[in-house]
């Protein structure tokens, strides 16, 4: 029997407060009701499933698979739907990474990370005294890299079955006819209203006079028109013609530097995934310009020779070991990782077992290491990104993490085109070697150069067991992304947890600099005290990540889980 947990949106709207059965997924835009829907936190589906940041987007993806599409079709349709229903991070004005494994074993890595415009330069965010102007790399027109998402979706189409016209239709419907927003979305839009007004030069559907409230309908006509241009003209409907003209006009109104040529020249790139074994499982993750795959590889390989399972879940012993692996991997991230087309990233060495054993040679299970003694350099990223995990009936697996960088990106909505631009330029090291506003520093490997892609932490990941699909996983969360994926994998493999527990148990994070461990509020108080006694500085923080996971059970069912930390929701059949 299908195991399902439904969580109703607490949005103060009667239609949402009625207990709903799980919606049966019959067809996108038809049986999916954008005015009445529920959050489904977990379910064991027998054939195909999607977990994403929004119930409507997950339902759209599942519907495409039910209509004959595969996991790649679902990934395209889900991302497009997220661009409408989850404006804080879903996007067509940002970028991302798609990691796929076809049922025949072929691996696919699509890099559609944003790139620095041709007019970008190493010191573009420094004032005349050489001081960093963080406001410019984080908000407004100058903060945006050249968007990659639409190029990524068309690169994905090579592996899909359905026509793009069909895959984009639900997003068009959702934008044109509207959908009701949740309490969290209303709060996000209200909290961002002031900066939308500051960094947006034209009226926008996301900004209205009165406060947004749960249950309001959000209609985005300009976004619908942009999506229709893409439907009609393909990627050129975004990178050329009317949409490109609107982007460049927006740039000119706000002193941005993206040009028509930047847009026309942008391409998605295929990347060979990072692969390694961990306790008999094959782990596949994303290569540079994401740091994610290498970091989780380093952390997992550093702890592999210790019997972590016998230490117990979040005991002092297991947490302290895992923190020390995190510290060392993040120190390497700062120094050695950047866009491989501009900087030679020593991937092989970073994942070499002898090298990693040597990195742990000064590990002391009795006390905290000091980051100053480990190495120099780190980068802190904003945390508003989004992830989707998908599996289909044939066993094709797709893991996608995509981002505008900060929540609602640069806060600049393209006038007349209705979508937000990213603030991904802040993921570069804006002044190599000097601490940024988060107290972290970055290296030359990630300095700004025209056409270069900024270093990411996004970690879309797949796990195989006996060479068969086992787990599809990933999360948003900036620099906390790799630690969340790492901990969820350890939870499943070392602590034999369900995907549900692996995702929803408390998380902790150390990123080398600042030299502190951040923990979620429900992290064990006793272990926290013991860590402090060993010399760790511990800081409590709000949620770490919003992990979406699918685990294939021994009976073939897809245990599909959406993180408890947001409106995230699963769908499938
Ligand atoms: N902007 C978040 C990341 O790429 O890691």
């Amino acid at each position: 029997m299908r195991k399902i947990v439904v969580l109703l949106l607490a949005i103060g709207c009667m239609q949402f407060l009625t207990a709903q059965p799980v919606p049966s997924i019959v067809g996108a835009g038809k049986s999916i009701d954008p005015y009445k829907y529920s959050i489904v936190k977990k379910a064991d589906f027998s054939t195909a499933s999607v977990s994403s940041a929004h119930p409507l987007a997950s339902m759209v993806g599942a519907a495409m698979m039910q209509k004959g599409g595969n996991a790649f079709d679902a990934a395209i349709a889900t991302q497009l739907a997220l661009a409408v229903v989850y404006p804080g991070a879903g996007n067509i004005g940002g970028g991302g990474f798609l990691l796929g494994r076809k049922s025949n074993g072929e691996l696919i890595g699509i890099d559609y990370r944003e790139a620095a415009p041709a007019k970008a330069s190493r010191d573009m965010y420094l004032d005349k005294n050489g001081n960093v102007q963080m406001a410019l790399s984080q908000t407004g027109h100058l903060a945006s890299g050249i968007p990659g998402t639409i190029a990524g979706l068309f690169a994905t189409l090579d592996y899909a079955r359905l026509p793009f016209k069909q895959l984009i239709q639900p997003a068009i419907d959702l934008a044109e006819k509207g959908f009701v927003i949740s309490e969290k979305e209303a709060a996000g839009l209200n909290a961002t209203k002031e900066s939308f007004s500051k960094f947006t030069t034209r009226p926008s559907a996301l900004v209205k006079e009165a406060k947004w409230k749960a249950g309001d309908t959000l209609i985005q006509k300009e976004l619908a028109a942009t999506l229709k241009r893409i439907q009609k003209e393909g990627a050129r409907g975004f990178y050329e013609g009317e949409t490109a003209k609107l982007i460049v006009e927006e740039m000119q109104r706000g002193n941005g530097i993206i040009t028509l040529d930047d847009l026309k020249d942008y391409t998605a790139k295929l990347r060979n995934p990072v692969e390694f074994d961990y306790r008999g499982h094959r782990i596949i993750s994303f290569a540079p310009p994401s740091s994610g795959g290498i970091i989780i590889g380093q952390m997992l390989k550093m702890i592999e020779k210790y019997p972590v399972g016998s230490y117990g879940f979040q005991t002092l012993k297991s947490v302290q070991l895992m923190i020390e692996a995190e510290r060392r991997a993040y120190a390497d991230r700062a120094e050695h990782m950047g866009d491989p087309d501009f900087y030679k990233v020593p991937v092989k060495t970073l994942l070499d077992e002898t090298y990693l054993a040597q990195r742990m040679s000064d590990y002391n299970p009795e006390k905290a290491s000091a980051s100053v003694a480990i190495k120099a350099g780190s980068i802190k990223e904003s945390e508003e990104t989004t992830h989707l995990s998908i599996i289909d009936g044939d066993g094709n697996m797709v893991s996608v993490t995509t981002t505008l960088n900060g929540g609602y990106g640069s806060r600049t909505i393209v006038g007349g085109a209705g979508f937000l631009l990213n603030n991904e330029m802040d993921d570069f090291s804006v002044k190599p070697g000097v601490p940024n506003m988060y107290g972290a520093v970055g290296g030359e490997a990630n300095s700004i150069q025209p056409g270069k892609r900024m270093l990411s932490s996004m970690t879309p990941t797949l796990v195989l067991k006996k060479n068969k699909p086992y787990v599809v996983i990933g999360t948003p969360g900036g620099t906390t992304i790799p630690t969340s994926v790492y901990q969820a994998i350890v939870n499943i493999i070392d602590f034999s947890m369900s995907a549900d527990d692996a995702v929803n148990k408390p998380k902790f994070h150390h990123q080398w600099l600042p030299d502190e461990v951040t923990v979620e509020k429900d992290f064990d108080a006793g272990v926290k005290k013991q860590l402090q006694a060993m010399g760790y500085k511990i800081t409590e923080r709000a949620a770490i990540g919003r992990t979406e996971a699918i685990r294939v059970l021994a009976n073939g069912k897809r245990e599909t889980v959406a993180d408890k930390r947001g409106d995230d929701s699963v769908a499938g059949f």
Side-chain angles (χ1 to χ4, degrees), residues 137-150:
S137 67
Q138 290 175 3
T139 43
H141 300 65
L142 204 56
S144 298
I146 307 161
T149 296
I150 293 299

Side-chain angles (χ1 to χ4, degrees), residues 113 333 381-382 385 403 405 424 427 455-458 478 481:
R113 182 70 164 162
R333 177 193 195 278
E381 292 158 14
S382 302
T385 297
T403 183
N405 197 17
E424 218 71 60
D427 269 351
L455 185 62
S456 171
S457 293
M458 293 190 281
I481 292 173

Side-chain angles (χ1 to χ4, degrees), residues 188-511:
L189 290 172
N190 291 332
T192 320
K193 182 177 174 180
E194 211 180 294
S195 53
F196 279 151
S197 306
K198 193 165 167 197
F199 299 110
T200 292
T201 60
R202 292 288 181 267
S204 146
L206 300 181
V207 181
K208 66 182 175 89
E209 201 52 40
K211 276 197 173 234
W212 288 100
K213 53 186 189 330
D216 282 352
T217 298
L218 174 59
I219 294 173
Q220 302 171 82
K221 296 272 187 208
E222 290 178 345
L223 178 57
T226 300
L227 294 171
K228 280 183 187 169
R229 284 193 292 277
I230 298 165
Q231 186 182 46
K232 192 164 163 228
E233 298 160 33
R236 290 170 61 179
F238 183 88
Y239 291 102
E240 297 179 48
E242 178 69 9
T243 312
K245 184 174 126 288
L246 290 169
I247 294 171
V248 172
E249 283 172 2
E250 184 60 57
M251 285 288 127
Q252 285 161 356
R253 286 194 292 273
N255 295 323
I257 55 173
I258 297 175
T259 63
L260 287 174
D261 281 343
D262 284 330
L263 292 164
K264 204 170 160 196
D265 293 347
Y266 183 88
T267 52
K269 297 183 181 184
L270 293 178
R271 303 280 184 196
N272 289 328
V274 165
E275 290 183 76
F276 57 93
D277 292 321
Y278 179 69
R279 297 198 206 280
H281 297 74
R282 189 76 175 155
I283 315 280
I284 305 153
S285 192
F286 217 91
S290 183
S291 59
I294 297 177
I295 296 185
I296 64 161
Q298 291 194 301
M299 295 188 296
L300 289 169
K301 297 307 275 185
M302 279 191 247
I303 66 168
E304 193 176 26
K305 67 173 186 186
Y306 301 88
V308 177
S310 73
Y311 292 174
F313 170 69
Q314 286 189 1
T315 56
L316 177 66
K317 213 169 171 175
S318 66
V319 171
Q320 196 255 351
L321 171 69
M322 290 175 75
I323 287 171
E324 291 303 332
E326 290 176 9
R327 182 200 305 277
R328 286 159 177 80
Y330 277 82
D332 275 356
R333 177 193 195 278
E335 186 71 21
H336 300 299
M337 299 181 213
D339 182 343
D341 295 340
F342 288 75
Y343 182 87
K344 195 165 167 14
V345 182
V347 181
K348 253 197 170 145
T349 308
L350 290 169
L351 290 170
D352 179 79
E353 306 221 1
T354 315
Y355 171 77
L356 292 170
Q358 181 261 319
R359 292 289 283 144
M360 284 296 269
S361 59
D362 57 351
Y363 163 63
N364 181 344
E366 306 296 328
K367 77 184 227 298
S369 304
S371 285
V372 279
I374 301 276
K375 224 174 188 191
S378 173
I379 297 148
K380 169 82 168 77
E381 292 158 14
S382 302
E383 301 194 348
E384 204 63 42
T385 297
T386 190
H387 180 82
L388 43 137
S389 291
I390 303 175
I391 191 163
D392 65 21
D394 293 334
N396 294 302
M397 310 157 86
V398 177
S399 184
V400 180
T401 316
T402 175
T403 183
L404 285 169
N405 197 17
Y408 304 97
S410 64
R411 314 290 168 91
T412 300
I413 301 159
V414 178
F419 64 89
L420 276 153
L421 287 169
N422 65 84
N423 59 342
E424 218 71 60
M425 291 298 283
D426 197 57
D427 269 351
F428 278 118
S429 175
V430 296
K431 186 173 181 183
V434 169
N436 67 11
M437 68 181 287
Y438 301 99
V441 294
E444 198 58 52
N446 190 33
S447 62
I448 303 172
Q449 291 179 58
K452 188 173 174 182
R453 300 180 183 205
M454 52 297 282
L455 185 62
S456 171
S457 293
M458 293 190 281
T459 314
T461 297
L462 308 171
V463 181
L464 307 180
K465 191 175 178 178
K466 299 195 176 118
N467 212 28
K468 294 221 168 72
Y470 185 41
V471 174
V472 185
I473 196 163
T475 182
T479 45
T480 69
I481 292 173
T483 42
S484 285
V485 173
Y486 157 66
Q487 286 169 35
I489 290 175
V490 170
N491 287 348
I492 290 172
I493 295 179
D494 294 76
F495 301 123
S496 307
M497 279 185 196
S498 64
D500 182 23
D501 279 346
V503 163
N504 290 314
K505 292 278 183 193
K507 301 247 160 34
F508 54 92
H509 172 70
H510 195 300
Q511 61 174 47

Side-chain angles (χ1 to χ4, degrees), residues 34 84 119 129 136 174 202 360 440 475 501 551:
V84 179
K119 285 188 189 147
N129 299 318
L136 293 181
L174 287 164
R202 292 288 181 267
M360 284 296 269
T475 182
D501 279 346
R551 186 174 66 120

